Amino acid sequence: MSVNKRVVVVTPKFFDAATIGFLESQGCSVVLAMLPNGKSDAAATEEELIAVLAEADAWIVGHANVTSSLLQALPRLKVIARRGVGYERVDVDAACRSGKVVTIAAGGNEESVADRTLGLMLATAHRFRESQQQLIDGPGSILIGHDLYGKTVGLVGLGRIAQHVVKRLRGFETTLLVSTPRPTFAYGKAMNIEYVELDALLQRSDFVSLHAPLTPATKHLVDATGLARMKRSAFLINTARGGLVDDRALLEALNEGRIAGAGLDVFESESDPGLAWVTNELVRLPNVIATPHSGASTHEGLQRTNLVAANCVVSVLGGEEPPPGCQVFSSTYSAS
């Protein structure tokens, strides 16, 4: 299927040659955007994005803020394909009003983020950071950590990533608690899950792992009150979205020893720069393992997600039904 050399501009980094080849084989002209000073698209200004997108028919986007004013400045643009599953940085309503199509790329990074989740559980419990610092600083006592094996793990949310986490945790013979507004009881029975309310999950879990979307209803889902319900020996893991946790309350709880540690891939400061100081203090704590929202950033995960986003672009520009994983938001689009 050809789309007659439609221009596809790619602003996220790490876009692989195989996916570029796929787009070109479908009649697309691929432009890897060079943003000033090597910026990520998340850090680019609206003027910088307009400059690289002026001739684009399709935009494969990473973490840029896609605003109404930006969309109005790009009349040629037809499709915005997120390389990822969240769309809170995209003004979907504005895109729909302007006749543009927004897609997300589900199914590409789930395995990678599930791996990161387990990695953070193990790294915090086994005190990897503190133990390595002992070796760097010189002779010191051996630090005693905790097993993940046999512990109670509470998952907040049960979407695709959380279900991959469930599969991995079964190998550790954990007790699994899940808090979700939409429990699937057949799945729960098959995977030996106990569905509980959030308060009970926080009180009972040795590890609390967040897998919910960020919405007005879930903002600060884990706040000072929730942290106070957790065991002093418990670990909080967040690979989902900054804002699900009140990071200031988390910093206070960690400083006061009210929970044992945290493994964080996301932070409130990603959407609120005024909280950068909180992130800076969190990542310096010895009992925090932190990564920069990179849970999906493996070679394999990015290649999978690149290809899903590319398939979204090709399908929408060609007026065809998008393949599985390409969730579409549009007021007008329908496959021919």
Side-chain angles (χ1 to χ4, degrees), residues 155 158 162-170 176 187 191:
L155 304 181
L158 194 60
Q163 290 180 31
H164 286 293
V165 172
V166 167
K167 289 193 294 185
R168 285 156 173 76
L169 286 171
R170 294 186 77 186
L176 288 170
Y187 175 83
M191 303 303 284

Side-chain angles (χ1 to χ4, degrees), residues 135-204:
L135 293 172
I136 293 170
D137 293 341
S141 59
I142 292 175
L143 301 176
I144 306 301
H146 295 275
D147 287 341
L148 174 57
Y149 170 78
K151 292 298 191 296
T152 297
V153 178
L155 304 181
V156 181
L158 194 60
R160 292 179 295 266
I161 292 170
Q163 290 180 31
H164 286 293
V165 172
V166 167
K167 289 193 294 185
R168 285 156 173 76
L169 286 171
R170 294 186 77 186
F172 289 85
E173 299 183 27
T174 57
T175 297
L176 288 170
L177 309 178
V178 170
S179 174
T180 175
R182 292 178 295 275
T184 305
F185 292 101
Y187 175 83
K189 182 177 181 180
M191 303 303 284
N192 199 26
I193 287 169
E194 181 184 353
Y195 292 112
V196 296
E197 296 298 322
L198 178 61
D199 285 354
L201 182 147
L202 294 171
Q203 291 168 359
R204 294 172 55 187

